[in-house]
Amino acid sequence: DAKTTQPNSMESNEEEPVHLPCNHSTISGTDYIHWYRQLPSQGPEYVIHGLTSNVNNRMASLAIAEDRKSSTLILHRATLRDAAVYYCILYNFNKFYFGSGTKLNVKP
Amino acid sequence: DAMVIQNPRYQVTQFGKPVTLSCSQTLNHNVMYWYQQKSSQAPKLLFHYYDKDFNNEADTPDNFQSRRPNTSFCFLDIRSPGLGDAAMYLCATSSRTGDWTQYFGPGTRLLVL
């Protein structure tokens, strides 16, 4: 099964952009790249997903490398409410395989 | 609001005493998942239902079973809980006709004494 690799933790200042990287060197052509985040004591919530092209939504942007072996989740202006564990996930055929996640700390 | 509901939020059981966790959804999604999440770890997929078709992960212990009597409900049965089964259990749903986004419930935290 394809795996993802993420840094254990990152820190950002409030109101600044945050770039959360993810490596998925064994990704297959049919794997979608999903990002979810999990706040303390809550279930994960959807952030964004993509296949090949960069994606934007109201929460974030997803930049996917041309060879698809890595991707970056971009939070344009981090707020204190964005402090969470961010998971980069490869989705294929009904199955989500969570990476280890990056714990994002946001400093006021 | 359409949502995924898990009951109870906290469950205490005794070593070896069967326990059932429940999940219900109002999203009318045809896929339902159960994940186990231990402290400071990522969620681990146990199994999922695609409609009534049950799909078990290869490394899910036999101690874990599931039932899905209808579209709205799904149950996780732990036949003989051990201390190592203490964890957060997350239920999620997705729709095959949509973009496969998963919608998670708040989880049930299981404590085994």
Side-chain angles (χ1 to χ4, degrees), chain A residues 95, chain B residues 45-48 54-62 64:
Chain A
K95 296 185 180 182
Chain B
L45 183 64
L46 295 174
F47 27 59
H48 75 278
F54 178 70
N55 298 272
N56 198 29
E57 291 299 300
D59 57 354
T60 298
D62 292 340
F64 291 87

Side-chain angles (χ1 to χ4, degrees), chain A residues 9-79:
Chain A
S9 64
M10 292 184 65
E11 198 164 75
S12 170
N13 294 317
E14 198 175 10
E15 302 294 318
E16 291 185 355
V18 183
H19 291 233
L20 298 168
C22 180
N23 288 319
H24 27 78
S25 59
T26 59
I27 191 171
S28 72
T30 54
D31 286 336
Y32 281 79
I33 302 161
H34 284 243
W35 284 82
Y36 281 67
R37 70 181 185 182
Q38 187 173 25
L39 280 67
S41 301
Q42 295 186 25
E45 68 170 338
Y46 170 79
V47 177
I48 200 167
H49 77 280
L51 183 61
T52 57
S53 303
N54 294 343
V55 184
N56 300 295
N57 66 21
R58 62 174 181 84
M59 289 182 70
S61 295
L62 176 60
I64 301 173
E66 199 168 328
D67 63 3
R68 299 205 332 125
K69 293 184 184 299
S70 65
S71 61
T72 302
L73 177 69
I74 303 164
L75 306 179
H76 296 287
R77 291 179 66 194
T79 70

Side-chain angles (χ1 to χ4, degrees), chain A residues 1 34 36 38 41-46 49 87 91 93-101, chain B residues 9 31 33 35 37 41-43 45 48 50 57 88 90 99-106:
Chain A
D1 294 330
H34 284 243
Y36 281 67
Q38 187 173 25
S41 301
Q42 295 186 25
E45 68 170 338
Y46 170 79
H49 77 280
Y87 291 104
Y91 157 71
F93 295 111
N94 290 334
K95 296 185 180 182
F96 277 38
Y97 296 102
F98 279 75
S100 56
Chain B
R9 292 294 309 276
V31 191
Y33 310 78
Y35 291 86
Q37 185 175 28
Q41 295 184 19
L45 183 64
H48 75 278
Y50 179 78
E57 291 299 300
M88 174 76 82
L90 295 161
D99 59 6
W100 292 103
T101 297
Q102 288 201 359
Y103 296 84
F104 284 82

Side-chain angles (χ1 to χ4, degrees), chain B residues 39-97:
Chain B
S39 181
S40 300
Q41 295 184 19
K44 179 180 177 300
L45 183 64
L46 295 174
F47 27 59
H48 75 278
Y49 276 93
Y50 179 78
D51 291 323
K52 286 191 174 294
D53 292 333
F54 178 70
N55 298 272
N56 198 29
E57 291 299 300
D59 57 354
T60 298
D62 292 340
N63 197 26
F64 291 87
Q65 304 285 320
S66 185
R67 295 170 284 133
R68 189 179 186 187
N70 54 51
T71 300
S72 300
F73 287 87
C74 195
F75 300 98
L76 171 62
D77 300 310
I78 308 177
R79 294 191 297 187
S80 181
L83 298 179
D85 296 327
M88 174 76 82
Y89 290 88
L90 295 161
C91 175
T93 72
S94 68
S95 172
R96 184 170 190 249
T97 57

